[in-house]
Amino acid sequence: GLDCPVGAAFLDGTLWNLPGGVGAINANVSQAKPYKAFCVFEQPPDGSHWRHLQLFDKRVDGVPASQLVVRAVTAVGNYDYVTQFSFGPAGGVRVGFEFAGYM
């Protein structure tokens, strides 16, 4: 889809209803609704994790780069926000926060 690629796994969150007024959260667990809060997928970034060129036979060895991505898209009023955590194979973590709504 638009926010998460086809084949992504989804992690559920819980949506609590506002029964009658703003600020009044319904604490009845049986009325909570699950929704797809996060998607998890593998994404190939540009480049390689490591590579090496053999000088004598011009053979290239290496491992393509990959990263595990956990993404959440939230809507607050008329504004959409995309929060993304990217985990690299060497233990690096990148956090991204993107505005995606109408101004």
Side-chain angles (χ1 to χ4, degrees), residues 49 66 87-93:
H49 182 60
S66 66
F87 302 91
V93 178

Side-chain angles (χ1 to χ4, degrees), residues 10-54:
F10 289 92
L11 302 174
D12 285 338
T14 303
L15 184 63
W16 297 92
N17 296 330
L18 299 175
V22 175
I25 296 176
N26 188 349
N28 186 345
V29 176
S30 67
Q31 294 180 2
K33 298 185 183 201
Y35 73 102
K36 295 177 179 176
F38 300 94
C39 61
V40 181
F41 56 94
E42 187 176 3
Q43 181 177 27
D46 294 335
S48 60
H49 182 60
W50 69 266
R51 66 177 309 283
H52 179 69
L53 172 66
Q54 299 290 337

